[in-house]
Amino acid sequence: MAEILERRRSVEVEVLAVLLVLLVIFRGRLAGVVSGAALQTWTTVFVSVLVQAVPFLVFGVLLSAVIAVFVPRSFWARALPNHPALAVPAASMAGVILPGCECGAVPIAGSLIRRGVTPAAALAFLLAAPAINPIVLTATAVAFPGNPEMVLARGLASLVVAILMGWLWLRLGRSEWIRLPRRPDLDGASKGRAFWSACRHDVVHAGGFLVIGAAAAATINVVVPEAWLQTLAAQPVLSVLALAVLAVLLSICSEADAFVAASLSQFSLTSRLAFLVVGPMVDLKLISMQAGVFGRRFAVRFAPATFVLAVLAAVGAGAVLL
């Protein structure tokens, strides 16, 4: 019975993948068929989020499968400090050398936990990797050529949030809050079969929730009036909160969000820094994916705490560096 359900789930995912690919290929023709302007906007945002996220999700799924199948558990014991409090900053700094998006970091973090890495260190990596990797920082420098301090402010604030959230999990986190979905039995299969089995499993639990998050982000883009942003930009405190919330709603991948932030010229640099720090750590698609990979009890606690720390860190870095 379990094998039948697994096969049915795999077929459903494959059909969904084909439909998404066809949607991307024929989005131009579909836009002409769709009559309503709001529906056209929704379709454009939905497809854009998927187009940005899917390549990095695939990268993360593949890397997650490599970690699950080919990397022995003993490696992580040697690579990270034994003390959990020291493993958190070490895992955070690993994000500097591993380019990736938040979409790919979620399955990687889940795989790290399965391989015996302390959850606090894996979660610190989850937050740091999409925010401080070389691709993201380079994109930020290109988007803000007249404000190179934005690169330092973004990297520093994001690193601080990742480390603090890891330590906070060590202090207050509970193991029962993380419910990783059941994995297929990889030990009895060949390396090749286990690798592809792990890939398909992660696509089910990360890719499906990515679609749900993309649909939610597209809906928000259509519903929220643009005039509200103009009003909020004139108020310093509310402008920071407005762009922080906007980052959650837009769900833009970290490799592209700097260019969006640069275009919001009516807002202060600190407000736009909050947009850049919050976005890779808390957004609709990321919350959905975290709920799918780690469980809902985890997501409803982890996301709000990360949001608050990210806003505070952005304001602090903005006050000192901008």
Side-chain angles (χ1 to χ4, degrees), residues 142-216:
V142 173
F144 292 90
N147 304 102
E149 64 274 13
M150 283 291 286
V151 179
L152 177 60
R154 179 178 193 177
L156 181 60
S158 300
L159 183 61
V160 167
V161 175
I163 294 175
L164 290 180
M165 281 302 299
W167 286 340
L168 185 64
W169 181 267
L170 281 177
R171 180 69 176 176
L172 302 177
R174 299 180 182 178
S175 58
E176 61 266 24
W177 290 349
I178 295 181
R179 283 288 183 264
L180 294 174
R182 187 183 64 83
R183 297 298 301 265
D185 186 7
L186 304 181
D187 296 332
S190 65
K191 292 292 185 181
R193 177 175 293 183
F195 175 80
W196 290 114
S197 179
C199 286
R200 297 177 102 181
H201 188 273
D202 280 341
V203 167
V204 170
H205 289 278
F209 282 89
L210 170 61
V211 173
I212 296 174

Side-chain angles (χ1 to χ4, degrees), residues 2-315:
E3 293 181 359
I4 295 176
L5 291 176
E6 186 68 27
R7 291 177 182 176
R8 182 180 300 175
R9 184 177 298 173
S10 298
V11 171
E12 291 175 353
V13 172
E14 290 168 359
V15 171
L16 176 61
V18 171
L19 290 176
L20 291 176
V21 171
L22 292 176
L23 180 61
V24 172
I25 294 175
F26 296 104
R27 64 184 183 275
R29 296 182 181 180
L30 290 175
V33 176
V34 176
S35 57
L39 190 53
Q40 289 186 21
T41 301
W42 189 96
T43 303
T44 300
V45 174
F46 176 75
V47 173
S48 297
V49 171
L50 290 180
V51 169
Q52 292 180 40
V54 166
F56 299 101
L57 174 63
V58 171
F59 173 80
V61 165
L62 292 175
L63 184 57
S64 173
V66 169
I67 293 173
V69 177
F70 297 105
V71 179
R73 293 178 182 270
S74 58
F75 170 81
W76 302 110
R78 298 191 303 267
L80 295 175
N82 293 327
H83 198 290
L86 298 178
V88 167
S92 301
M93 291 302 299
V96 177
I97 60 175
L98 183 60
C101 181
E102 59 268 28
C103 307
V106 173
I108 294 174
S111 186
L112 289 174
I113 294 175
R114 289 189 182 91
R115 304 307 287 175
V117 174
T118 177
L123 297 177
F125 172 82
L126 183 152
L127 296 177
I132 65 173
N133 71 70
I135 294 177
V136 170
L137 296 181
T138 300
T140 305
V142 173
F144 292 90
N147 304 102
E149 64 274 13
M150 283 291 286
V151 179
L152 177 60
R154 179 178 193 177
L156 181 60
S158 300
L159 183 61
V160 167
V161 175
I163 294 175
L164 290 180
M165 281 302 299
W167 286 340
L168 185 64
W169 181 267
L170 281 177
R171 180 69 176 176
L172 302 177
R174 299 180 182 178
S175 58
E176 61 266 24
W177 290 349
I178 295 181
R179 283 288 183 264
L180 294 174
R182 187 183 64 83
R183 297 298 301 265
D185 186 7
L186 304 181
D187 296 332
S190 65
K191 292 292 185 181
R193 177 175 293 183
F195 175 80
W196 290 114
S197 179
C199 286
R200 297 177 102 181
H201 188 273
D202 280 341
V203 167
V204 170
H205 289 278
F209 282 89
L210 170 61
V211 173
I212 296 174
T219 302
I220 293 296
N221 273 268
V222 173
V223 172
V224 177
E226 186 177 352
W228 290 6
L229 300 180
Q230 300 291 341
T231 303
L232 292 173
Q235 306 182 39
V237 176
L238 291 181
S239 65
V240 171
L241 295 177
L243 285 197
V245 173
L246 184 64
V248 176
L249 301 181
L250 289 182
S251 302
I252 302 173
C253 282
S254 56
E255 279 76 9
D257 60 0
F259 300 96
V260 176
S263 68
L264 300 172
S265 56
Q266 67 269 40
F267 289 89
S268 66
L269 287 177
T270 300
S271 300
R272 286 183 278 177
L273 178 61
F275 180 90
L276 296 177
V277 175
V278 171
M281 298 184 175
V282 189
D283 64 34
L284 290 180
K285 70 176 186 302
L286 187 55
I287 294 172
S288 297
M289 292 173 67
Q290 288 176 356
V293 173
F294 300 110
R296 295 181 181 178
R297 296 182 66 188
F298 169 85
V300 298
R301 293 170 171 83
F302 190 75
T306 304
F307 179 85
V308 172
L309 278 181
V311 172
L312 294 177
V315 172

